Structures are given as C-alpha cells and as structure tokens.
C-alpha cells in the first residue's frame, strides 16, 4: 500500500496496486527474472542505481511486514547485507512495526521470485544483493 510519492511511474503504480502480503523483488543486475514476472528495469550502468538507493526509495512508498533474503548474502557480501539490515531497522523505528526477516538458499530465493508481482532490477553488481519485500498495511 502506498505511503508517499515516487517519481518513477512504473514503481508508483506497482506499489499502489499491492495488497496485503503481495511480494516484490528488488535485485542486483544479475538475478534472473522469470518470464512470467513483470520486470521494472532501472539499471543504467554498473552501480546505478544502487541496491540501497532503490530499497530506500521504495520503502518511502511501500509499507512492508517482511523481507526474504538469500542466506549467501550475509557471508558473500556482508557489508551490503549489514547496510540493508540497518535500513530495515530504521524502517521499523519509523513505522513502529516489526519486520520479519526470512533466509532461504539462493536457489530457493530465485524460485520464490516467481511469486513476486514484479522484479525491480537495479544496477548493483554486488553478489546476492537481492531482497523480496512482503507488503504490509499502513494501519
């Protein structure tokens, strides 16, 4: 459910059409996107836009109640993993809501993206920089 305004029309529409528990994936430049899933491709050049910038922009618009991450993210890219968890902790403080965190193997994560209403591709080139947001409610 929408919280504020995004400039990107595709992202704004996506968030506005989410219902409770719908999922979207925000991914790095290399994650395969299922043919059956809407792709919103923001990638311009390697690193632009960043994963964290994209996550932050979407969180400004979307209420989440959970995230799903690949287990490998924490071990292969610990700095970006920690940065994401910091953003999520900040979101919990802003909304006074707990956000559940679930870890899956990367293979299971890729399968789970098939349930996403859309996959938002960033220019991030850090391995395993992917997250699935589970839509919450603003009330």
């Amino acid at each position: 459910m929408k919280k504020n305004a995004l400039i990107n029309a595709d992202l704004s529409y996506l968030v506005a059409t989410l219902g409770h528990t719908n999922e979207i994936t925000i991914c790095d430049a290399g994650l395969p996107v299922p043919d059956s899933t809407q792709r919103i491709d923001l990638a311009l050049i390697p690193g632009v836009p960043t994963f964290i910038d994209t996550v932050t922009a979407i969180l400004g618009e979307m209420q989440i109640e959970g995230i799903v991450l690949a287990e490998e993210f924490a071990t292969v890219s610990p700095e970006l993993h920690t940065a994401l968890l910091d953003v999520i902790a900040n979101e919990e403080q802003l909304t006074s809501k707990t956000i559940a965190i679930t870890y899956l193997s990367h293979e299971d994560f890729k399968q789970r993206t098939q349930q996403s209403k859309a996959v938002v591709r960033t220019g991030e080139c850090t391995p395993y920089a992917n997250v699935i947001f589970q839509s919450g409610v603003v009330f």
Side-chain angles (χ1 to χ4, degrees):
M1 294 182 182
K2 286 176 62 74
K3 287 171 28 176
N4 293 310
L6 277 175
I7 293 173
N8 184 289
D10 292 333
L11 288 178
S12 186
Y13 178 80
L14 171 64
V15 175
T17 59
L18 292 172
H20 187 218
T21 73
N22 283 153
E23 295 182 353
I24 67 168
T25 300
I26 303 169
C27 71
D28 60 27
L31 188 75
V33 179
D35 290 337
S36 59
T37 304
Q38 177 188 4
R39 173 197 296 248
I40 299 175
D41 198 337
L42 304 179
L44 297 173
I45 59 174
V48 178
T50 69
F51 175 72
I52 291 296
D53 285 345
T54 305
V55 163
T56 302
I58 291 174
L59 284 177
E61 188 83 353
M62 180 183 177
Q63 182 67 51
I64 63 170
E65 66 180 23
I67 65 170
V68 180
L69 304 168
E71 296 164 342
E72 294 87 345
F73 191 11
T75 55
V76 175
S77 301
E79 290 178 14
L80 192 55
H81 176 261
T82 299
L84 174 62
L85 293 183
D86 289 346
V87 170
I88 297 304
N90 185 58
E91 183 70 8
E92 287 180 318
Q93 288 181 338
L94 289 172
T95 62
S96 300
K97 294 182 181 225
T98 301
I99 297 171
I101 301 173
T102 303
Y103 287 91
L104 304 173
S105 72
H106 186 59
E107 288 305 314
D108 288 343
F109 181 92
K110 288 191 291 187
Q111 289 296 316
R112 179 74 172 262
T113 64
Q114 294 179 20
Q115 298 174 29
S116 288
K117 190 165 182 174
V119 174
V120 179
R121 183 174 172 257
T122 71
E124 187 68 52
C125 292
T126 303
Y128 302 101
N130 308 300
V131 62
I132 296 172
F133 281 170
Q134 298 169 319
S135 182
V137 293
V138 295
F139 50 87

